[in-house]
Amino acid sequence: MVKSYLRYEPAASFGVIVSVESNITYDSSGKQLLAPALEKLGIWHVRQGVCTKTLSPSLSSRAPSLAVTCVASAPSSLVASGYADGSIRIWDCDKGSCETTLNGHKGAVTALRYNKVGSLLASGSKDNDVILWDVVGETGLFRLRGHRDQITDLVFLDSGKKLVSSSKDKFLRVWDLETQHCMQIISGHHSEIWSIDVDPDERYLVTGSADLELRFYNVKQELMNGESMVNETGPETGNDGESASQNKWEVLKPFGEIQRQSKDRVATVRFSKSGNLLACQVAGKTVEIFRVLDEVESKRKAKRRLNRKKEKKSAKMGVEATENVEANHGTEEAGNVLVVAVPDVFKLLQTIRASKKICSISFCPVTPKSSLASLALSLNNNLLEFYSIESGSSTKTLAIELQGHRSDVRSVTLSSDNTLLMSTSHNAVKIWNPSTGSCLRTIDSGYGLCGLIVPHNNEVVEAHGGSVRSIATIPNGNGFVTGSADHDVKFWEYQIKQKPGQDSKCLTISNVRTMKMNDDVLVVAISPDAKYVAVALLDCTVKILFMDSLKFFLSLYGHKLPVLCMDISSDGDLIVTGSADKNLRIWGLDFGDCHKSIFAHADSVMAVQFVRNTHYMFSVGKDRLVKYWDADKFELLLTLEGHHADVWCLAVSNRGDFVVTGSHDRSIRRWDRTEEPFFIEEEKDKRLEEIFEADIDNTFEDKHIPKEELPEEGAVALAGKRTLETLTATDSIIDALDVAEVELKRIAEHEDEKARGKVAEFQPNMIMIGLSPSDYVIRALSNISTNDLEQTLLALPFSDALKLLSYTKDWTSNPDKVELVCRIVTVLLQIHHSQLISTPSARPVLAVLKEIIYARVKECKDTLGFNLAAMDHLKQLMASRSDALFRDAKSKLLEIRSQQSKRLEARTETKTENRKKKKQKK
């Protein structure tokens, strides 16, 4: 019989607080912070410092391609997360569920932004495209193409009617979303634009790049009748030198620049929710906080600046020269209209310095009473920090750090009963509960390369002159063996000693033997019967020695690069070695013969371990993979994908029921053995299918066809992309149409027989599960995701599209299906327009649809309008029964009074200025 094995599957991952590659953001309430952790999205309660919920894709998905690269929060409880494979998931934070998945980008998602209402979502990617998504309809509206490099940031303007996109191609583009075209291109930046943002009142748009200054633009929305767009470099031109004066709209007008304090490039610029602060985070350890002054304060500051200039000039020059300066000063104050510059509006408040490099920032949407704003920072050492920004300084209020290592996990070790897990990094040892993933204790230490859990007190022993590379426990439990870079192998024993003057006894260790080797010791392993000790050296060999006498027994040579890991099977028959040459070698421990050399990983093999009482083994490598092997058949059984960086270490439980791995991505992952059996041949076929699916994009596009040259003003394309799901959906529609067509023929034949007098009971097709042909086809269409419908219909042949159109007139009678029918008919007409008008058989169908669809859509619109009017009426009734209207009036009155007081202040200031001028003239 064919041998079966039990499958291992990903069970848990822990240790990552926040990823380096993505941004953080607050939810709409401001109580929770959304922090991406590799493929997951952690929801942290800010006050408690606890991860309350984790949003993660289904385990059946391909984990390596699902690293979160971007996050955006909607005004509601919805959150959008973009992934490295170009997909976008919409999550409901309250439910903790994925509402929909949007597929459209061919590269990693780099920018996400909701409009103010939360009905639209704009996404940018490494494929240089911007896609606008309808969040309510869960579908893509259109794709905006025009940028020549990766999109870095997006921002909505004019109540979501316009969109501004920034890119690494050094250009800003303003898109009109109603006409779907690029209406303005802004140049002038000397390097890549990394971030843009607009204040809540949409007055100023700020851009950050590698330049030493922040650039500001005034946001304008009125029609400029033929006025050319001018920035600081002259008339706005594109790459081909074409003047942008042909555009009638000028949305962004250059306002000025501010010199930054740091020389590092800008990573993020963000306004606070109230608009009173602007944060500029650089690709270093600092965040510069600017105070945004209101209109009255900025004018006051501009007047002071002008007065200072005049005083300085009058001090240098005579009284007559001063009069000439005032006469010629019309450039700044023409017609008594004061010109406010950028330094008059934006004032540097303070600089926040973090302990490590900052990855991203996020302002809390709720402004606290005691301070100006709250700011969250994610650092590149797996740490979250929260700052309270005050007028004078900023104070750190909270740091979330205990739930993960500050650097990569270098070793993992399980206790003898598998209830504790120890992990080491560059400065700490952490004890975990491997079943729940909770951190039980953190112990400060040096750089931990290897570990062993023993019943022992905290004690530091100066054991070696070089780094200790390996620790191996002696099977009888009396001690352990260490190997070091100082060429020594040392044998240690546990001893119970009583401290002087105390009754309690403590466990200590003492060195009983030392063996000098010819080179650095990389790995040490002891056979289960304690007969042999194996030592891997830097010279690519493994020396097998007798444990009792330390006499030489065997030398294993064959690896081309040093052996980095090895293990001996429980029965002592086999020893496996893994090397930097990417190979695993299985040796017989009796004669030292090499049973098999396997090309195991695409990079160095970092750890290998046998499952106890078997000849099955696990190996991990720098290629991010965990592999499961049969050492007797020399076959690869499983490949476990999930880590996002080099996998450094591995630990297998005593019973082999789970495996723990640690990685450079700072995550610790547990893989559990399930009861599901599998066969080697089936796994081989699956791996071939995965290779084919991974190359599916290349099958749709011919790489040798020259790429389409995008016009300078941009282009619009379909939002979705063809995937395996859309192809499967197309096949399901074709199958449904074929089954329905056969069933219709059978029904027609039955009717003919019935008319002739041959009465026989009609037997419906079992496949159609009791549905009519029309209902069976609409059921297949309803099962398709809204986002995939367009691409699914695009792949449908014309003959099948014609069949589909013939069914639509029946579906319009169902009010619930009117929207779906309209989408289907519109897409099919756009795709097959020329063929439909030239096909005589299609004309009757189109004529019927023209009459029916308009009437059905009007009915739906009337129903919606009636419902909206009823809701407005109910709202008015409720308002009349409460004092809500009077509250609104009170707030309006206070607003009017504050405006009047500001005007009075402005008038008094102008009067005092005029008096001063008159006195100076006298």
Side-chain angles (χ1 to χ4, degrees), residues 798 801-802 805-806 829 832-833 835-849:
F798 177 69
L802 203 56
L805 280 173
S806 65
L829 282 172
H832 304 289
H833 181 263
Q835 282 181 288
L836 284 168
I837 58 175
S838 60
T839 305
S841 60
R843 288 172 191 168
V845 178
L846 295 175
V848 172
L849 286 174

Side-chain angles (χ1 to χ4, degrees), residues 23-210:
N23 65 304
I24 56 172
T25 184
Y26 276 92
D27 69 341
S28 55
S29 67
K31 295 178 181 177
Q32 299 179 127
L33 184 76
L34 304 163
L38 303 178
E39 74 277 5
K40 294 182 179 181
L41 197 61
I43 302 177
W44 294 86
H45 195 284
V46 176
R47 285 189 179 177
Q48 298 173 0
V50 177
C51 185
T52 56
K53 212 173 289 181
T54 302
L55 309 177
S56 59
S58 58
L59 294 173
S60 59
S61 304
R62 305 302 298 163
S65 60
L66 291 176
V68 180
T69 54
C70 194
V71 186
S73 178
S76 61
S77 62
L78 295 181
V79 171
S81 59
Y83 293 81
D85 61 350
S87 64
I88 299 167
R89 282 177 171 77
I90 309 293
W91 304 88
D92 191 318
C93 281
D94 296 340
K95 298 177 185 174
S97 60
C98 180
E99 297 296 301
T100 185
T101 303
L102 308 171
N103 283 304
H105 289 292
K106 295 176 184 176
V109 179
T110 54
L112 286 171
R113 188 74 73 117
Y114 278 97
N115 64 345
K116 284 185 178 178
V117 187
S119 59
L120 295 178
L121 175 69
S123 64
S125 168
K126 285 186 177 179
D127 61 7
N128 309 349
D129 293 346
V130 177
I131 299 180
L132 196 73
W133 306 91
D134 179 3
V135 179
V136 180
E138 298 180 356
T139 182
L141 298 176
F142 47 84
R143 183 190 301 265
L144 301 170
R145 306 176 66 197
H147 281 292
R148 298 314 199 260
D149 208 336
Q150 168 185 326
I151 309 297
T152 54
D153 212 346
L154 300 161
V155 69
F156 281 96
L157 293 178
D158 192 15
S159 304
K161 294 176 184 176
K162 296 176 186 64
L163 181 73
V164 183
S165 59
S166 64
S167 170
K168 283 187 178 180
D169 63 5
K170 307 176 188 177
F171 289 96
L172 283 177
R173 282 180 178 267
V174 183
W175 307 87
D176 190 324
L177 300 181
E178 292 178 335
T179 58
Q180 300 175 16
H181 80 285
C182 180
M183 57 190 301
Q184 188 179 358
I185 305 170
I186 297 175
S187 62
H189 291 84
H190 306 299
S191 58
E192 298 96 336
I193 306 170
W194 287 99
S195 184
I196 58 173
D197 199 26
V198 68
D199 67 318
D201 297 331
E202 294 189 4
R203 294 178 300 164
Y204 311 110
L205 183 133
V206 59
T207 66
S209 65

Side-chain angles (χ1 to χ4, degrees), residues 463-484:
H464 287 274
S467 57
V468 182
R469 300 292 179 86
S470 180
I471 297 178
T473 182
I474 297 173
N476 60 13
N478 290 337
F480 55 89
V481 181
T482 57
S484 168

Side-chain angles (χ1 to χ4, degrees), residues 511-682:
N511 182 18
V512 291
R513 280 193 295 177
T514 301
M515 180 172 56
K516 198 75 175 176
M517 306 304 290
N518 297 326
D519 213 330
D520 291 14
V521 179
L522 300 180
V523 196
V524 176
I526 299 171
S527 62
D529 56 1
K531 189 178 180 181
Y532 305 112
V533 56
V535 183
L537 302 176
L538 194 62
D539 61 3
C540 310
T541 64
V542 177
K543 308 294 184 188
I544 312 290
L545 303 110
F546 288 102
M547 185 81 169
D548 51 1
S549 62
L550 299 183
K551 287 186 178 179
F552 177 78
F553 173 55
L554 291 171
S555 181
L556 310 179
Y557 54 90
H559 283 292
K560 295 175 183 176
L561 289 171
V563 173
L564 302 177
C565 54
M566 64 180 172
D567 194 29
I568 300 173
S569 61
S570 301
D571 56 8
D573 290 345
L574 299 177
I575 178 171
V576 60
T577 56
S579 168
D581 62 9
K582 310 173 189 176
N583 289 332
L584 281 176
R585 281 181 178 259
I586 302 165
W587 315 77
L589 201 56
D590 45 3
F591 300 108
D593 55 325
C594 181
H595 292 184
K596 187 72 173 177
S597 178
I598 305 169
F599 182 74
H601 290 268
D603 210 328
S604 303
V605 184
M606 299 309 298
V608 64
Q609 191 172 340
F610 279 102
V611 179
R612 195 170 181 181
N613 299 326
T614 68
H615 281 183
Y616 307 145
M617 59 185 184
F618 284 91
S619 67
V620 298
K622 284 187 176 181
D623 58 356
R624 309 180 178 188
L625 300 178
V626 181
K627 294 193 175 183
Y628 184 35
W629 306 86
D630 188 335
D632 291 331
K633 293 188 175 182
F634 317 124
E635 288 278 5
L636 173 63
L637 304 179
L638 286 176
T639 300
L640 304 174
E641 301 180 67
H643 281 291
H644 297 257
D646 308 351
V647 188
W648 291 116
C649 48
L650 163 76
V652 183
S653 67
N654 290 339
R655 296 190 300 273
D657 54 343
F658 69 91
V659 181
V660 180
T661 54
S663 168
H664 183 69
D665 62 15
R666 295 167 187 161
S667 72
I668 300 170
R669 292 177 185 265
R670 197 181 83 242
W671 317 81
D672 283 0
R673 187 173 63 200
T674 63
E675 295 301 318
E676 180 191 350
F678 70 92
F679 303 95
I680 294 175
E681 293 302 322
E682 288 180 0

Side-chain angles (χ1 to χ4, degrees), residues 714-890:
V716 181
L718 293 175
K721 72 171 180 180
R722 194 178 296 184
T723 60
L724 196 65
E725 286 78 14
T726 61
L727 290 179
T728 309
T730 305
D731 292 339
S732 69
I733 292 174
I734 294 170
D735 291 341
L737 288 169
D738 292 342
V739 171
E741 189 178 11
V742 171
E743 189 70 2
L744 285 170
K745 284 180 182 177
R746 287 183 65 233
I747 293 169
E749 289 171 2
H750 177 71
E751 293 295 328
D752 288 345
E753 289 176 1
K754 198 175 179 181
R756 289 174 195 164
K758 297 179 182 178
V759 180
E761 189 179 351
F762 180 74
Q763 296 293 330
N765 191 345
M766 297 291 288
I767 298 172
M768 298 183 68
I769 55 176
L771 297 172
S772 66
S774 177
D775 290 342
Y776 185 68
V777 176
I778 192 69
R779 179 176 172 272
L781 282 160
S782 301
N783 289 336
I784 299 168
S785 169
T786 317
N787 181 45
D788 294 336
L789 184 63
E790 200 169 42
Q791 288 292 330
T792 301
L793 296 174
L794 197 63
L796 208 63
F798 177 69
S799 57
D800 290 309
L802 203 56
K803 290 179 192 174
L804 195 60
L805 280 173
S806 65
Y807 284 105
T808 51
K809 63 179 183 291
D810 301 329
W811 301 334
T812 51
S813 58
N814 186 353
D816 295 338
K817 301 295 180 185
V818 170
E819 187 182 349
L820 177 63
V821 171
C822 288
R823 281 196 68 198
I824 292 168
V825 172
T826 307
V827 172
L828 290 177
L829 282 172
Q830 287 174 344
I831 297 167
H832 304 289
H833 181 263
S834 56
Q835 282 181 288
L836 284 168
I837 58 175
S838 60
T839 305
S841 60
R843 288 172 191 168
V845 178
L846 295 175
V848 172
L849 286 174
K850 182 184 176 185
E851 298 296 327
I852 294 174
I853 284 183
Y854 279 110
R856 294 289 180 269
V857 170
K858 190 175 184 303
E859 286 176 12
C860 290
K861 285 178 72 177
D862 291 343
T863 306
L864 287 169
F866 182 82
N867 290 339
L868 284 169
M871 289 174 71
D872 285 339
H873 179 64
L874 288 170
K875 190 178 175 183
Q876 288 173 6
L877 281 173
M878 291 175 71
S880 64
R881 292 172 186 171
S882 67
D883 62 339
L885 289 170
F886 297 102
R887 288 179 194 166
D888 293 341
K890 186 179 178 183

